[in-house]
Amino acid sequence: IGFWPSPDPGLVYLSVGIRTPPRVRRTLVYTQCYRFDQFWILAFALLWAESSLAAGFYLSEVGTPASVGTAGVANPTNNQGAGAAWTNPAGMTGLEQEASMSGAMLLVPKIEFDSSVATAGGSDGGNAGDVSAIPSYFHVKILSDDTRLGFSVVAPFGGGLDYGDNFVGRYAIQNVVLGGLAFTPSLGYKVNDRLSLGFGISILYSTMEQEIAINTPGPGDGQAKFRDLEDWGYQGILSLTYQLTADTMLGVVYRSEADMDLEGDLKIEGLPIPDSDVELSWDNPQWLELGLSHALTDQRTLAFNLGWQEWSAFSENVLTIDSAGASQVVDRKWDDTWHAGVAYRQKLSPESFYSLGISYESSPIEDKYRTFDFPLDEIWKLSGAYAWEGINKFDYSVGATLYLTGDASIDQTSQGVRAAGDYDNNMMLFLGGTLRYVID
């Protein structure tokens, strides 16, 4: 494979030759002329490193009543369920019996784009949101009066978009799927009657696939396919709970930054470009969250939370394509986000309760920098759950959280093609249920 300038400024020749055995004495050569900017698109700037989290903000919903039924507000002050093994390891000290809990959620999104500008034509893509199943598992073991050992498996981030091959923004993205699982051993230690400390380390597994159309000078599009990108990383957890009064408790959870370097394959279709190894890198941001719970009566409890996530650390994405021998760093111009919420829990009987929650999360990006792979804006979350005790030490719960993600506008030019418009009342619905078993 060779590249060299043409006599016409701004053009470059691409030549692909296949050398046959010496006795045949024949060389097969394919030569194509591209504009200089198209050469770089083919080399490594196809995606402008936009293959990233695809609605991959951190999910506060992890399949527990405290998370699904309170819009995540009760997570940092959870000291009553096995879900504390993930949401706040210090809260595990509130459990008096060993317990296991399994959960499952169904994510049903509505992400529809309405174009106003489409210089290459195409469709609006319909509902681009992928329906996803999200599993979870939690276990807390009593080691001593003061010490609890926990383990959890959750999907803390991920998502998918599929706009279709003929999408108006196909030169930025056609489809993308990101999956993430966190395997987290954790420890909770009760320092005294007021203070408990928690520690944990999440072992993160991430995988991603993506497809993008290539704008070629000839008829028809080429296609870039990112396949089997994956990586293992880790994220530390530090937490505490502090009993301010008999009725009021403070919870604090800190999660560290996690470096992600996903490696996989890049396949080019429709052009004589060989397959290549590829790496896509970013930083999952650090996360600090404060929570407060206050018992109004024996039956009624209020919870509040306030949090910050350093999404500016994620802003720089690095795309490396081995066959091109080069890397590109693209700044997405993301900002840090903050979130806040309030939740209410009401006991209906000693065996059952319901909860309601509402929260707000700011947008990580201004309208002018928004891209098709992350079309969300600020988020309002509305949620509710119902839980009750069954027979034989089994507890059950069902819940739902609705994300209202606004009508974000976008104006993006990729590979010389512009697409602009708005998203029409985007939303995502989380439907979840859990099963808990208490061990004597």
Side-chain angles (χ1 to χ4, degrees):
I1 299 179
F3 298 94
W4 65 92
S6 78
D8 182 359
L11 297 182
V12 64
Y13 285 112
L14 161 66
S15 177
V16 180
I18 303 175
R19 186 70 177 268
T20 56
R23 291 182 181 178
V24 179
R25 294 181 179 178
R26 179 175 296 176
T27 300
L28 306 177
V29 176
Y30 171 88
T31 302
Q32 175 66 51
C33 186
Y34 290 101
R35 293 208 60 80
F36 186 72
D37 58 350
Q38 291 169 336
F39 159 66
W40 286 111
I41 290 172
L42 292 175
F44 63 88
L46 286 165
L47 316 184
W48 282 90
E50 287 163 6
S51 49
S52 63
L53 292 188
F57 49 83
Y58 285 137
L59 301 177
S60 58
E61 288 67 34
V62 291
T64 67
S67 67
V68 178
T70 70
V73 174
N75 282 347
T77 53
N78 176 19
N79 68 342
Q80 299 178 349
W86 162 258
T87 59
N88 185 342
M92 294 189 296
T93 61
L95 276 70
E96 299 299 330
Q97 293 177 297
E98 185 174 344
S100 289
M101 181 166 63
S102 296
M105 293 192 304
L106 188 66
L107 169 58
V108 183
K110 174 185 175 291
I111 302 175
E112 297 182 352
F113 181 66
D114 183 15
S115 63
S116 57
V117 176
T119 58
S123 71
D124 288 348
N127 184 3
D130 284 343
V131 176
S132 306
I134 305 174
S136 59
Y137 173 76
F138 313 89
H139 183 81
V140 175
K141 183 175 180 59
I142 310 296
L143 297 183
S144 69
D145 290 342
D146 298 325
T147 308
R148 307 290 186 268
L149 179 66
F151 179 75
S152 64
V153 181
V154 303
F157 58 86
L161 295 169
D162 187 354
Y163 293 100
D165 292 345
N166 195 39
F167 177 51
V168 295
R170 59 191 176 276
Y171 300 119
I173 183 175
Q174 291 173 314
N175 61 71
V176 59
V177 177
L178 175 81
L181 280 178
F183 304 87
T184 307
S186 54
L187 186 71
Y189 178 70
K190 187 176 182 179
V191 178
N192 53 48
D193 290 341
R194 288 181 177 268
L195 176 65
S196 292
L197 301 177
F199 312 90
I201 182 167
S202 290
I203 302 167
L204 303 175
Y205 174 71
S206 301
T207 180
M208 193 194 77
E209 295 193 351
Q210 184 171 10
E211 296 180 359
I212 289 187
I214 301 174
N215 188 15
T216 65
D221 291 331
Q223 193 174 48
K225 295 184 176 181
F226 284 64
R227 290 289 181 259
D228 302 322
L229 273 69
E230 60 181 3
D231 184 36
W232 289 89
Y234 65 90
Q235 186 174 43
I237 305 173
L238 298 174
S239 70
L240 66 83
T241 59
Y242 188 79
Q243 201 70 40
L244 298 172
T245 69
D247 297 323
T248 306
M249 184 178 69
L250 171 71
V252 181
V253 183
Y254 170 77
R255 302 180 193 273
S256 69
E257 184 177 289
D259 297 333
M260 308 305 299
D261 300 301
L262 278 71
E263 297 180 352
D265 302 317
L266 172 61
K267 300 179 183 296
I268 303 294
E269 295 184 354
L271 291 169
I273 305 292
D275 297 345
S276 176
D277 294 333
V278 66
E279 179 178 313
L280 180 63
S281 303
W282 67 74
D283 293 331
N284 282 5
Q286 59 182 327
W287 177 1
L288 178 64
E289 188 169 25
L290 309 178
L292 196 69
S293 68
H294 177 72
L296 300 173
T297 67
D298 291 341
Q299 287 78 36
R300 296 180 297 157
T301 303
L302 276 178
F304 307 89
N305 81 330
L306 181 66
W308 164 82
Q309 296 174 0
E310 192 186 17
W311 281 106
S312 59
F314 164 78
S315 188
E316 289 190 353
N317 294 181
V318 182
L319 179 65
T320 303
I321 296 179
D322 288 352
S323 62
S327 297
Q328 180 162 345
V329 180
V330 174
D331 187 356
R332 286 174 156 271
K333 302 186 185 303
W334 278 32
D335 300 319
D336 297 349
T337 64
W338 63 272
H339 59 272
V342 59
Y344 174 78
R345 173 175 168 168
Q346 171 77 58
K347 272 192 175 183
L348 300 176
S349 71
E351 294 80 24
S352 64
F353 70 88
Y354 73 87
S355 60
L356 301 171
I358 181 172
S359 69
Y360 170 83
E361 187 167 334
S362 65
S363 173
I365 190 167
E366 297 179 33
D367 287 355
K368 61 183 177 180
Y369 300 127
R370 185 173 292 109
T371 53
F372 284 111
D373 60 340
F374 195 95
L376 304 181
D377 200 349
E378 61 186 10
I379 302 173
W380 283 95
K381 303 179 184 180
L382 307 173
S383 68
Y386 179 71
W388 68 98
E389 292 184 3
I391 59 175
N392 298 328
K393 302 177 184 177
F394 282 101
D395 296 345
Y396 310 87
S397 74
V398 292
T401 297
L402 179 64
Y403 282 25
L404 301 175
T405 55
D407 53 355
S409 62
I410 187 169
D411 189 341
Q412 185 174 357
T413 299
S414 299
Q415 302 183 52
V417 176
R418 181 185 175 204
D422 296 280
Y423 287 87
D424 183 22
N425 297 320
N426 286 357
M427 62 184 66
M428 292 187 288
L429 178 64
F430 293 83
L431 301 172
T434 62
L435 175 67
R436 184 174 74 102
Y437 182 69
V438 178
I439 304 170
D440 288 335

